[in-house]
Amino acid sequence: MIFLIIENFVFFSTILAVIAYALAETLRFGGEKSRFKISAFAQTRIFAGLILLPPILALWLVLAALLPETWLGAEFFKAAHVKHHEWHLLSDLTTRFEPFLAIATVIFLITILCFAVWKTFRGFSKISRIIQLLEIESSAPNPEKIILVEEIAKNHRLEVGLVMSQQPLTFVWGFWRSKLILSSGLLNTLSEAELKGVIEHEAAHHIRLDNLMKLLLSLASYLSPAFPLTRRLFRWQSEQIEFVCDEIAAATTKQPLEIASALIKVCRSFPAPNSNSMVVSNFMSEEPSRIEPRIKVLVKFADQLPTVETKTKLTGKPLFEVSSLITLFLGSLIAILSLAPLVVHQTAETLIGFIK
């Protein structure tokens, strides 16, 4: 039964992931061709949904299709099942490939596990290299700038770690109780106005729980053989988050041009490494090609600042969406198993029958 669940989950999640990626490509193509305009905030939610929904829908389909056998009892289920056909979901399709399919599935799961471990180790090794840079001797920052950072951090209930380094470095580390790490070089490089914009940008990551959501999306992106496509979605979603936090910072400081200036200074002095791990949010853009679009948007904000209402919407945590998704998942599953337990099972087998 466990292998049957895994086999069907991989099948459905792969198909749904490919469909989700196609929808995302259509969205990006339309945006680039200016056929329609979608805000960065909306894109973060859309891309997150396209990453999460394929494995969630696949799991729902598998549970709704296979639980009736336990829910109704083996004898009743078998009697109702034979009335329609004798084959069982993917079993009839994959029998000819056994045991090769079983071996391939196990190899796939092991490969994904090893790849995830490697990515985690690689991310931490990059953070370690950053930490090594923090051991460089640097001149002490201006006390007034330290006070400014402490005041902003206190307003957002954000812990701050100051390290002595001549590199202008800043990032938010951690999940639920994240911590802002910044260097003395950053304080010495930026003006007070620029520094305020950077801290407000990083505070926005903290308020929105971006690192926690990044962890969940990163894990979900590896749940099918189509993970190279879902990892691209994950990267696109992360890029749009930076636009959202820039907008929040612009709405707070009322000085978007200072934020743009800080972005140019920091990225010229210390280009961000490709360290988009599950625990770090950077003010710096990892890809130089993403700096120019952010600066253009910030320049536009100089003519029309984001409103307070917009800021409130952008800083909202996705708790309602997550709780609604969990409620819908469990509620619909219980309802279908109680009212029509064989509907999903028979529908799934009918769809697979077209492939047979």
Side-chain angles (χ1 to χ4, degrees), residues 11-22:
F11 173 78
F12 287 119
S13 63
T14 302
I15 292 178
L16 293 172
V18 172
I19 295 174
Y21 178 78

Side-chain angles (χ1 to χ4, degrees), residues 35-203:
R35 295 183 180 179
F36 47 80
K37 179 66 175 178
I38 301 179
S39 67
F41 176 76
Q43 289 188 60
T44 61
R45 297 302 174 96
I46 293 172
F47 290 144
L50 292 176
I51 294 171
L52 289 173
L53 287 179
I56 291 175
L57 288 176
L59 180 62
W60 189 93
L61 285 171
V62 171
L63 293 178
L66 297 180
L67 282 181
E69 187 170 359
T70 303
W71 186 277
L72 301 174
E75 294 184 2
F76 181 85
F77 178 81
K78 183 177 180 180
H81 190 268
V82 173
K83 290 181 181 179
H84 295 273
H85 37 67
E86 296 181 355
W87 52 285
H88 191 63
L89 288 179
L90 290 180
S91 299
D92 188 61
L93 290 176
T94 59
T95 299
R96 71 188 72 175
F97 302 112
E98 300 296 352
F100 303 105
L101 182 62
I103 296 174
T105 302
V106 172
I107 293 175
F108 165 73
L109 294 176
I110 294 175
T111 302
I112 291 296
L113 177 61
C114 293
F115 184 76
V117 171
W118 174 76
K119 286 285 289 185
T120 302
F121 175 78
R122 185 166 173 257
F124 277 105
S125 66
K126 288 179 178 179
I127 295 299
S128 298
R129 288 199 294 271
I130 293 176
I131 299 247
Q132 291 176 0
L133 293 173
L134 304 182
E135 297 174 355
I136 302 174
E137 294 183 0
S138 176
S139 59
N142 188 324
E144 294 181 357
K145 292 183 180 179
I146 295 179
I147 295 174
L148 174 63
V149 171
E150 291 176 342
E151 290 178 350
I152 298 175
K154 185 178 180 180
N155 292 335
H156 296 294
R157 298 179 181 179
L158 178 62
E159 297 182 6
V160 180
L162 178 63
V163 292
M164 297 301 293
S165 170
Q166 64 183 6
Q167 302 291 350
L169 177 68
T170 176
F171 58 87
V172 175
W173 172 276
F175 303 121
W176 191 264
R177 297 186 61 181
S178 51
K179 187 173 184 177
L180 172 63
I181 306 297
L182 49 81
S183 67
S184 57
L186 182 77
L187 303 184
N188 293 330
T189 300
L190 303 181
S191 67
E192 289 192 6
E194 292 169 341
L195 180 61
K196 185 177 181 181
V198 172
I199 303 304
E200 290 292 351
H201 174 102
E202 299 289 26

Side-chain angles (χ1 to χ4, degrees), residues 23-39:
L23 292 175
E25 279 285 13
T26 303
L27 174 68
R28 283 174 60 86
F29 179 79
E32 291 175 357
K33 298 299 182 181
S34 300
R35 295 183 180 179
F36 47 80
K37 179 66 175 178
I38 301 179
S39 67

